Amino acid sequence: MGKALDGVRILDFTHVQSGPTCTQLLAWLGADVIKVERPGEGDATRKQLRDIPGADSLYFTMLNHNKRSVTINTKTPGGLAVLDRLIKTCDVMVENFAPGALERMGITWQHIQALNPRMVVASVKGFGPGPYQDCKVYENVAQCAGGAASTTGEVDGMPLISGAQIGDSGTGLHLALGIVAALYQRNTTGRGQQVLAPMQDAVLNLCRVKLRDQQRLERTHTMHEYPQYPDGKFGDAVPRAGNASGGGQPGAILKCKGWETDPNAYIYFITQAAVWPAICRVIGEPGWIDDEAYATPQARLLHLKPIFRRIEQWTMGKDKFEAMDILNQLDIPCGPILSMKEIAHEPSLRASGTVVEVDHPERGKYLTVGNPIKLSDSPTEVTRSPLLGEHTDEVLAQLGFAASEIQALRAEGAI
């Protein structure tokens, strides 16, 4: 059985995280991804945050699996000639350079179209058209500009950045979908097109419920599911809400046994209306089932703080996994706060390919994330990231360069 993207060749002109996230996903789905890097230097993340001297960092290896690496010096005539031949033979170019950088290299949309009118050119940028379109953007900037930071944090605290890389990796996932859509449309039109995924847009897409809430707030001046209700004040913008669920089913993070010494001895508990009687019985408050102050979801919104304090008295008597076992049997929605150590050693995640062990010639075995998208007819095998320029000769030979031409390009410093 072949892979979903067999036959698709990607010219990977990306670096750091947002672009490599996109191209790695396409590689996992079967595309032949050729990563272009600078001779002697490579992607900046090869050397960033190293934990083993002289070896590619985990930052690099965990974003560049299943790819081939070629080195090209685009400042030489020979390097530009190699790049042009790659453009002619690839289906997609993906880039996340700073605004205008590709054009300064002479690789304009018009140049690409002249060489290969079927090519899809996909770009990650910080912002779309507008006052900030020429600004460089990094992960935390994207979270701030996309609305995530202003709506994340404690009620009376400062804005917070999420540990999830929704700016970089989140944008890369959006871009991958755009590429697949453009390739599908090419089957009908025969033409390539440009695909743009601004980081601000991607973050906002993941924060759409907060844009929903902004409009509700402007209309009603209150939001009952937020912790500011009923005795706090709302301003004119969506506030930070701590760990409140932000949806129609109130939720909170509660302490479990061992919280005094374990920073992750917590559980997320949702007081879903359908299982309210079961919640009351399991925590030892059966009288709440018919009590007018607690009997309806609307009534409970006035008493969420004491309700969760009482539930927490129960969860503090159980470790998070014991609580999970009891609550799941009653269909009460909940989830443990899992540390990265617990995730790394969870057998079910290894079995599903969500966490994968990979062997690398420089650094030995290490853990990485696997493909989060599972296809029944196209299972993903995660292979190691390439060494710098490991596949240069192989790729050039496939492009039709003779051994003597490759030798001449190397002498020129083009590869």
Side-chain angles (χ1 to χ4, degrees):
M1 186 71 68
K3 298 292 185 181
L5 294 181
D6 273 350
V8 174
R9 179 174 285 179
I10 310 289
L11 177 54
D12 183 1
F13 233 146
T14 72
H15 56 286
V16 191
Q17 185 179 167
S18 59
T21 297
C22 168
T23 52
Q24 178 172 259
L25 181 59
L26 298 172
W28 280 339
L29 295 174
D32 177 16
V33 175
I34 300 171
K35 185 176 180 71
V36 176
E37 302 185 75
R38 291 176 296 173
E41 293 291 331
D43 190 316
T45 58
R46 285 186 182 268
K47 298 178 182 178
Q48 286 183 5
L49 307 177
R50 273 181 167 161
D51 57 317
I52 299 176
D56 287 337
S57 71
L58 287 167
Y59 196 4
F60 176 84
T61 60
M62 293 177 68
L63 286 162
N64 291 282
H65 295 109
N66 296 60
K67 302 179 184 180
R68 297 194 286 171
S69 170
V70 301
T71 53
I72 301 176
N73 182 355
T74 58
K75 295 181 179 180
T76 66
L80 286 173
V82 172
L83 183 58
D84 280 352
R85 198 174 299 191
L86 276 168
I87 291 172
K88 289 179 181 178
T89 59
C90 288
D91 298 283
V92 182
M93 174 190 284
V94 188
E95 62 91 13
N96 64 332
F97 289 108
L102 209 60
E103 287 74 15
R104 290 192 292 272
M105 295 167 60
I107 310 171
T108 63
W109 170 246
Q110 292 74 21
H111 178 74
I112 293 169
Q113 282 280 287
L115 293 174
N116 182 358
R118 288 177 55 82
M119 174 167 269
V120 172
V121 178
S123 302
V124 170
K125 292 292 177 277
F127 296 94
Y132 306 118
Q133 64 186 24
D134 295 327
C135 297
K136 288 184 178 179
V137 172
Y138 290 83
E139 170 67 44
N140 291 0
V141 174
Q143 289 198 32
C144 292
S150 71
T151 56
T152 303
E154 293 301 328
V155 173
D156 298 319
M158 65 186 296
L160 283 181
I161 301 300
S162 167
Q165 303 289 283
I166 61 176
D168 275 323
S169 288
T171 304
L173 294 171
H174 282 81
L175 188 66
L177 176 59
I179 289 169
V180 172
L183 288 172
Y184 186 83
Q185 188 172 17
R186 192 179 71 173
N187 293 333
T188 302
T189 65
R191 296 186 296 109
Q193 61 183 295
Q194 293 173 285
V195 180
L196 174 65
M199 295 172 71
Q200 182 187 39
D201 297 31
V203 172
L204 178 57
N205 185 44
L206 298 174
C207 293
R208 68 179 65 189
V209 297
K210 299 302 182 180
L211 185 59
R212 171 204 69 190
D213 289 348
Q214 179 63 36
Q215 296 170 86
R216 294 172 56 227
L217 180 62
E218 290 174 1
R219 184 168 290 114
T220 67
H221 309 293
T222 186
M223 291 183 291
H224 293 179
E225 76 281 5
Y226 274 64
Q228 286 81 356
Y229 178 83
D231 49 1
K233 292 183 179 180
F234 287 90
D236 59 2
V238 173
R240 291 179 276 285
N243 293 311
S245 69
Q249 308 291 341
I253 291 180
L254 306 178
K255 297 172 184 175
C256 291
K257 182 188 290 186
W259 67 272
E260 299 92 342
T261 55
D262 181 356
N264 295 297
Y266 293 82
I267 192 169
Y268 199 90
F269 192 110
I270 297 175
T271 55
Q272 185 185 33
V275 292
W276 176 248
I279 293 172
C280 295
R281 284 189 285 268
V282 77
I283 66 171
E285 297 289 350
W288 284 3
I289 297 173
D290 298 314
D291 188 324
E292 288 186 3
Y294 302 99
T296 67
Q298 196 64 28
R300 289 194 291 275
L301 289 174
L302 296 169
H303 307 285
L304 286 180
K305 292 173 185 175
I307 286 172
F308 280 120
R309 281 198 296 268
R310 177 63 185 90
I311 297 173
E312 189 172 57
Q313 291 176 6
W314 180 84
T315 60
M316 288 172 66
K318 313 281 187 302
D319 73 39
K320 61 189 176 185
F321 298 112
E322 291 172 334
M324 277 286 294
D325 289 342
I326 294 169
L327 298 173
N328 280 329
Q329 291 179 22
L330 300 171
D331 289 330
I332 298 171
C334 59
I337 308 305
L338 294 179
S339 69
M340 280 297 158
K341 181 178 180 180
E342 289 168 322
I343 288 171
H345 295 283
E346 171 54 48
S348 66
L349 296 179
R350 300 287 188 98
S352 68
T354 301
V355 175
V356 180
E357 186 174 75
V358 178
D359 201 359
H360 189 276
E362 292 180 341
R363 60 177 307 111
K365 292 182 178 180
Y366 66 94
L367 293 182
T368 187
V369 295
N371 189 351
I373 300 171
K374 313 310 197 232
L375 300 182
S376 62
D377 285 351
S378 183
T380 298
E381 178 188 1
V382 176
T383 61
R384 69 168 175 84
S385 61
L387 302 176
L388 179 60
E390 181 178 353
H391 304 95
T392 301
D393 289 7
E394 173 185 288
V395 171
L396 264 60
Q398 291 176 346
L399 293 174
F401 286 92
S404 59
E405 293 176 299
I406 295 174
Q407 186 176 1
L409 287 168
R410 186 162 283 114
E412 181 191 342
I415 58 175

